[in-house]
Amino acid sequence: MTFDAVAIGDRIAALHRAAPLVQCLTNAVVMNFTANVLLAAGAAPAMVDIPGEAGPFARVASAVLINLGTPRSEQRSAMLEAVAAATEAQRPWVLDPVAVGSLPVRTALAARLLEFHPTCIRGNPSEVMALAGAGVGGRGVDSVATPDVARAAAQQLALHHHAVVAVSGPVDLITDGTTDIRIGNGSPLLTKVTGGGCALGALTAAFLGCERHTALHAVAAATAAYTIAAEMAAEGVAGSGSFAVRLLDALGTLDGDSVRRRLALA
Amino acid sequence: MTFDAVAIGDRIAALHRAAPLVQCLTNAVVMNFTANVLLAAGAAPAMVDIPGEAGPFARVASAVLINLGTPRSEQRSAMLEAVAAATEAQRPWVLDPVAVGSLPVRTALAARLLEFHPTCIRGNPSEVMALAGAGVGGRGVDSVATPDVARAAAQQLALHHHAVVAVSGPVDLITDGTTDIRIGNGSPLLTKVTGGGCALGALTAAFLGCERHTALHAVAAATAAYTIAAEMAAEGVAGSGSFAVRLLDALGTLDGDSVRRRLALA
Amino acid sequence: MTFDAVAIGDRIAALHRAAPLVQCLTNAVVMNFTANVLLAAGAAPAMVDIPGEAGPFARVASAVLINLGTPRSEQRSAMLEAVAAATEAQRPWVLDPVAVGSLPVRTALAARLLEFHPTCIRGNPSEVMALAGAGVGGRGVDSVATPDVARAAAQQLALHHHAVVAVSGPVDLITDGTTDIRIGNGSPLLTKVTGGGCALGALTAAFLGCERHTALHAVAAATAAYTIAAEMAAEGVAGSGSFAVRLLDALGTLDGDSVRRRLALA
């Protein structure tokens, strides 16, 4: 199967038809924006993240997102419950290892979560390198390295865990360990909106929730859709506040035409 | 007393004069938007939701909102403390039973909360039917049924708990079990903003906090005010991001004139 | 050193160069807006607020914000851990005592936190008076007194704890107990956006994180920058929703020229 603008457009249309139910166990800072990104893109978010509910819900969700940004004790339990259930019910799930490497509680949690084999790991270069054991994150939540620097770590991580690994940056890298896809769309303003990366993790789960095959292409399509919408939102914008609003607007109007005009495979 | 545009306009003006203090024990996803909706409409939000504080605060609040969207352990204790205090101090309170029926922890909690007789229960058709024992919710957080389907369940729930029940949908239904009010205002974009329904629960508490009599009309006035503001916000809007921003703007300018021009009792 | 528009402009430029890492242990309602304010202004937010991580992170952060708006049990432990580490590592930290005085759990917590000598205490008049033992807060989260009424309390609090105290209001008062700075910029719309005050606490930490000397001037510069951006955002705005968006935009473009044109020392 080829990965091109037509294939991405088809996946965007499929997502609108399926309206996948995406369970998010994510950090407290970005819950609202994440849910609004999913709604704008045509998915159905559900932030079910307490023990006793997270597991049962993961069995019926289309996909699950685990984001380690603010992993409180109760949420950590719910995360383990959710990924165990998702694994058993063969639901795809995405791990976003925010600030892993430099902070001890989430680093230990990430190690346990990895045993359940995420369908996709999405992070910045520092986080991906930390997960792969190739280094530790810079200042915790932002990244000092570039996607290319993290390439070897991403490939190694993908092969070791049979996962698709997506590394964010000016050029996004998506790899299953043998095939790389590089996407050059996006806007620096994404780094000026909190949850700019986290929301992509949720959207990635939404795309994975529409199909179980060719996870590499589903992850790449999510990345392309999101970063192209960001590009549209950034044009002539007054600042980061307006950009976040327009990103939601753009996700709602994004279609195959926009992708064909703008896709920048790198 | 008649329920018409003039009566709604009077209640909007009364809310601006009273600036009711609305205590919200609500879900983590929508706290920010809920507080901003209350502020825009002229109320004073206070998200006091920890044990040891929730009870004392409920005694001085004008009204209390209990929303079950992300009911963590500590918040569950605070909810029970708040409604016990609200009941004792005769404060009105609103129950928003998010995803009740399909998820076990909150379903058990809702049963305990109902013993304290909420002034108003606000939900989507699936949630109202689940609470009334007439069925279980669809996919958890969104609704598969329509308000009309839930009408019998809403009336039964209202009579059983001596509560006003508000069922959201393209046409909103508000009932005390004997009198129904149906309001046809609103916008489909409300379903594209996370907390679009939850914020109405908080605004309902605000309207109830201005007066203790004719709860049916207070709940209906809140619904009308909110859905008319949504209609104003939706006109010519670029997408769900801009819509949420403009909904806050519209709530700040809403007055009796807007209501008279737009009210669509159905 | 003089405190004037040029000095403030220099500090804004310094913040952009330093991109201080600001650790926020803040309330659940305003986390998202707070992070976006910091990002817009050029700082790097990190909401690390769980036990076991809050302390280690405080040692490497440029500054720490402690905001008591929704102090859940786990976060309370993390707050004590963070300020102990910040004190030991000589990091500046800001205390925002939301609704202290009228609510018991946070009032007791604030007393323990004060023993670690915050670099700055930022609050509304009621909160500052409650901390100083001069009275108790009005309705909890909003303020009934004016900054001038709280002046004596602010000075006493500053001298007793060797802290800079900032009292918000139509005219903001910043004092170290001997020197007062009064800033008349701002917009009433700041009281219509939840976290309008809380975000200033975080921005104050960011300015303090760029330098350790002349804390009085750093706090005043943060207040001036924020309230001038608010003034810019308020011009011709349609309501509180648009205002919040434009405030983020304005913080991103704010520079020495804007400050020189608008600064209103009172």
Side-chain angles (χ1 to χ4, degrees), chain B residues 16 18-21 28 31-32 35-36 39-53 56-57 62 72 74-75 244-246 248-249 253, chain C residues 28-33 69-74 76 102-107 139-142 191-195 237-245:
Chain B
H16 277 276
L21 182 59
M31 278 187 168
N32 185 270
N36 280 333
L39 287 168
M47 269 56 184
V48 179
D49 70 347
I50 58 170
E53 294 190 344
F57 198 80
S62 309
R72 309 185 200 298
E74 197 172 0
Q75 198 191 43
V245 172
R246 290 174 58 170
L248 296 174
D249 291 347
T253 58
Chain C
V29 190
V30 306
M31 278 187 167
N32 184 271
F33 184 65
T70 55
R72 309 184 201 298
S73 170
E74 198 171 359
R76 293 199 297 275
S102 55
L103 292 166
V105 176
R106 66 192 70 190
T107 301
R139 306 199 306 174
V141 290
D142 50 1
T191 66
K192 287 291 198 178
V193 176
T194 195
V237 80
S240 58
S242 299
F243 171 73
V245 173

Side-chain angles (χ1 to χ4, degrees), chain B residues 51-134:
Chain B
E53 294 190 344
F57 198 80
R59 295 178 189 280
V60 298
S62 309
V64 178
L65 166 72
I66 304 288
N67 174 302
L68 304 186
T70 55
R72 309 185 200 298
S73 171
E74 197 172 0
Q75 198 191 43
R76 295 199 296 276
S77 301
M79 285 173 170
L80 289 164
E81 185 183 307
V83 298
T87 302
E88 202 177 284
Q90 295 190 287
R91 305 289 166 176
W93 69 281
V94 175
L95 176 64
D96 194 332
V98 180
V100 157
S102 56
L103 292 166
V105 176
R106 65 193 70 193
T107 301
L109 176 61
R112 294 186 63 188
L113 289 167
L114 279 176
E115 294 171 15
F116 291 93
H117 298 297
T119 316
C120 171
I121 299 165
R122 192 217 75 80
N124 66 34
S126 297
E127 292 155 356
V128 168
M129 291 170 73
L131 270 194

Side-chain angles (χ1 to χ4, degrees), chain A residues 97-118:
Chain A
V98 180
V100 157
S102 56
L103 292 166
V105 175
R106 67 194 68 193
T107 301
L109 176 62
R112 294 186 62 188
L113 289 166
L114 278 177
E115 293 170 15
F116 291 92
H117 298 296

Side-chain angles (χ1 to χ4, degrees), chain C:
Chain C
M1 261 184 79
T2 50
F3 181 77
D4 58 16
V6 175
I8 299 169
D10 288 348
R11 280 184 168 80
I12 293 171
L15 194 154
H16 277 275
R17 283 193 303 274
L21 183 58
V22 182
Q23 181 183 7
C24 300
L25 299 92
T26 192
N27 76 72
V29 190
V30 306
M31 278 187 167
N32 184 271
F33 184 65
T34 298
N36 280 333
V37 161
L38 288 174
L39 286 167
M47 269 58 183
V48 180
D49 70 347
I50 58 170
E53 293 190 346
F57 199 80
R59 294 178 191 281
V60 299
S62 309
V64 178
L65 166 72
I66 304 288
N67 174 302
L68 303 186
T70 55
R72 309 184 201 298
S73 170
E74 198 171 359
Q75 199 191 41
R76 293 199 297 275
S77 300
M79 285 173 171
L80 290 164
E81 184 182 307
V83 297
T87 301
E88 202 176 284
Q90 296 189 287
R91 304 290 165 176
W93 69 281
V94 175
L95 175 64
D96 194 332
V98 180
V100 157
S102 55
L103 292 166
V105 176
R106 66 192 70 190
T107 301
L109 176 62
R112 293 186 63 187
L113 289 166
L114 279 177
E115 293 170 15
F116 291 93
H117 299 297
T119 316
C120 171
I121 300 166
R122 192 218 75 82
N124 66 33
S126 296
E127 293 154 356
V128 167
M129 291 169 72
L131 270 193
V136 294
R139 306 199 306 174
V141 290
D142 50 1
S143 179
V144 291
T146 65
D148 275 338
V149 168
R151 190 177 168 226
Q155 290 172 334
Q156 176 195 333
L157 199 60
L159 290 173
H160 189 73
H161 294 286
H162 306 290
V164 175
V165 175
V167 190
S168 57
V171 173
D172 290 87
L173 170 71
I174 299 98
T175 184
D176 61 6
T178 53
T179 304
D180 293 353
I181 297 176
R182 293 159 57 87
I183 299 172
N185 295 99
S187 162
L189 280 168
L190 275 177
T191 66
K192 287 291 198 178
V193 176
T194 195
C198 300
L200 173 53
L203 192 63
T204 299
F207 275 80
L208 284 167
C210 294
E211 53 177 330
R212 298 300 308 279
H213 309 294
T214 63
L216 177 72
H217 289 183
V219 174
T223 305
Y226 188 73
T227 54
I228 286 171
E231 229 172 81
M232 294 161 62
E235 284 174 355
V237 80
S240 58
S242 299
F243 171 73
V245 173
R246 290 174 57 171
L247 176 53
L248 296 174
D249 291 347
L251 283 165
T253 57
L254 188 75
D255 59 11
D257 277 349
S258 329
V259 176
R260 272 188 290 279
R261 273 198 308 277
R262 291 176 180 268
L263 180 66
L265 295 177

